[in-house]
Amino acid sequence: MSTAAGPTVPSLSGVAARAGQQTPAADRPVKIDAQHLNFYYGDTRALEDISVRIRRNIVTAFIGPSGCGKSTFLRTLNRMNDIIPGTRVEGKVLIDDTDIYGPGVDVVALRRQAGMVFQKSNPFPKSVFDNVAYGLRINGMASNRSELAGRVEESLKQAALWDEVKDRLDDSALAMSGGQQQRLCIARALAVRPDILLMDEPASALDPIATQRIEELVYDLKKAYTIVIVTHNMQQAARVSDYTAFFWLGRLVEYDRTDKIFTNPSEKLTEDYVTGRFG
Amino acid sequence: MSPSTSLRASPSTRLRASPSARLRARRFEFLIEWALFLCALLSIGTTAGILVVLAVETFAFLREVPITDFLFGTEWTPLFATPRFGVLPLVMGTVLVSAIAMVVALPAGLLSAIYLSEYANPRVRRVIKPVLEILAGVPTVVYGYFALLFVTPVLQRVVPGLAGFNALGPGIVMGIMILPLVSSLSEDAMQGVPRGLREGSFALGATRMQTSLRVVLPAAFSGITAAFILAASRAIGETMIVAIAAGQQPRLTWNPLVPIETMTAYIVQVSLGDTPQGTLEYRTIFAVGMLLFLGTFGLNLVSAWLRGRYREEYA
Ligand SMILES: Nc1ncnc2c1ncn2[C@@H]1O[C@H](COP(=O)(O)OP(=O)(O)OP(=O)(O)O)[C@@H](O)[C@H]1O
Ligand SMILES: [Mg+2]
């Protein structure tokens, strides 16, 4: 697999495989199990033989330089890449032991199960209430108005936004601050009761205070959700995550407990990256 | 030459034009700028001239016919021995044909925009869009005879009591004519909706249809409305189709099966006839033209305002 690696790349073969064994026996069951995943944009391979086991109810951080495939990999986990024409997946992604790329998989149900929060917050140009209610409505998840309102309130509370917006549920979501918009997007994702939360640089466009709120939220949410978070911010990865995966040029270089990745990585490449001695 | 340039002995100093050549070039630039400005002025001037003529003749007309008779009168018989100058029948004819056109063009245009913007893959879109735009380039006189000689006869087989000249046939054909406009402008508006909104919707488990109807359409609403209004204004101002196929009988009716006359068709009728200049009959066309202008101009303003607002939303 590492034939095209070039001289600067240390032998990567087997890293991912070894990572599995090096991982200290986690007490949590595996939630997402990617096996030998390749991903192509047209003819360009963006992911190369990724194998990783993400465990339940912990936070896993994806780090790596820009363009290394973090977002691409994250988006294979809820099949968001399906909507990009000309893309192709090889390999398997098991979620709760079911291959999400297998035949007969209900993509709608999958996306409901694996909620996603984007780098650029993307509230719909609707009211705060309607933003959170959107997923419930399209999926027919609330049978009447009061149930809907209850679920909306519950989700906003989970996203630590309720107190700030409870008096302005009918205001346009676009009138809120950037940090509030991002928490609204988190609430929107939580409303359809996923059990996985995929977050692609959710705080990269936010100020330190808003970022801290998101981080606290992630910390709270991991009790109930399996969270994968992409971040460029090493401190953030170190603060919020239990496990960290380091990607480089479309490959998974190292995957281990976060403290190990940041203090005592097994790969030179990882060490160079987390210490900022890179490129 | 300034000391700083003479100090630099780079080859580029040799390429520099002499001061007099530079002066000549600048004077030339100046002339060009003025010529372009005059061209712009000319087109504005022409428009202003047309407006002035319209206004002058309209005022002359309104000195003889009270404005209330003109605007609210229900009979339009300016060429009769006892002339009546109530413009409502013409307005109604115009509204009727345009409404039929919109009923055809809106759903079809919107569906085709949704298809092009949300479903078609880029390769299909690249083929279909130009084809639609060619449809918009067909001369309207062709559409006019298409309405008169093909659509109306076909309709007569299924619609009893449809006259040879009527509002229905031209209305439908006019709808086909403005369909590319509706489709193209609506698609532009939908393309302007950020991709992130669609992804947000898909990520919640929405289907393509749900995403199109519940996220993209509302988000593009003002842009799409602007497209509709522009199309309506085009329909109201359209002349050839109705002049050829709708008849020349100003009639205050909502019945699409009988001959009617629109404002534009009336103007054509009088312009082509032998009404002497300077008479009241002749001036009617300016009064009607003024009304038509104000109507379409107002619609275009609303449309431009909506499009501006839409652009602001996603700046
Ligand atoms: N829609 C696309 N079409 C074609 N190539 C793409 C597309 N999206 C991403 N790529 C390519 O795939 C590779 C991985 O991109 P990806 O967005 O996953 O990187 P990333 O690690 O998330 O980077 P960043 O940190 O900048 O977000 C890059 O080389 C990128 O150019
Ligand atoms: Mg990314």
Side-chain angles (χ1 to χ4, degrees), chain B residues 136-148:
Chain B
V138 174
T140 53
V141 64
V142 175
Y143 281 114
Y145 281 100
F146 179 60
L148 181 67

Side-chain angles (χ1 to χ4, degrees), chain B residues 55 105 168 175 186 207 217 222 238 312:
Chain B
L168 189 60
S186 305
T207 61
L217 271 194
S222 47
E238 166 51 32
E312 259 165 44

Side-chain angles (χ1 to χ4, degrees), chain A residues 75 108 111 122-123 126 134 139, chain B residues 196 199 201-205 214:
Chain A
R75 291 161 58 95
V108 167
R111 294 196 182 135
N122 54 356
K126 300 174 186 287
Y134 180 80
N139 291 304
Chain B
E199 297 203 328
S201 171
F202 286 128
L204 290 166
R214 294 179 177 231

Side-chain angles (χ1 to χ4, degrees), chain A residues 75 80 83-84 108 111-112 116 118 122-126 134 137-139 188-189 192, chain B residues 122 195-197 199-208 210-211 214-215 218-219 314:
Chain A
R75 291 161 58 95
M80 274 305 276
I83 62 175
I84 303 175
V108 167
R111 294 196 182 135
R112 221 158 55 195
M116 185 163 235
F118 299 81
N122 54 356
F124 303 129
K126 300 174 186 287
Y134 180 80
R137 285 187 173 131
I138 56 166
N139 291 304
R188 187 174 73 182
V192 296
Chain B
R195 209 170 64 126
L197 290 187
E199 297 203 328
S201 171
F202 286 128
L204 290 166
T207 61
R208 224 167 250 281
Q210 287 169 328
T211 303
R214 294 179 177 231
V215 173
Y314 298 106

Side-chain angles (χ1 to χ4, degrees), chain A residues 70-71 119 200-201 230:
Chain A
K70 306 178 295 293
S71 301
Q119 171 172 10
D200 195 347
E201 302 186 48
V230 174

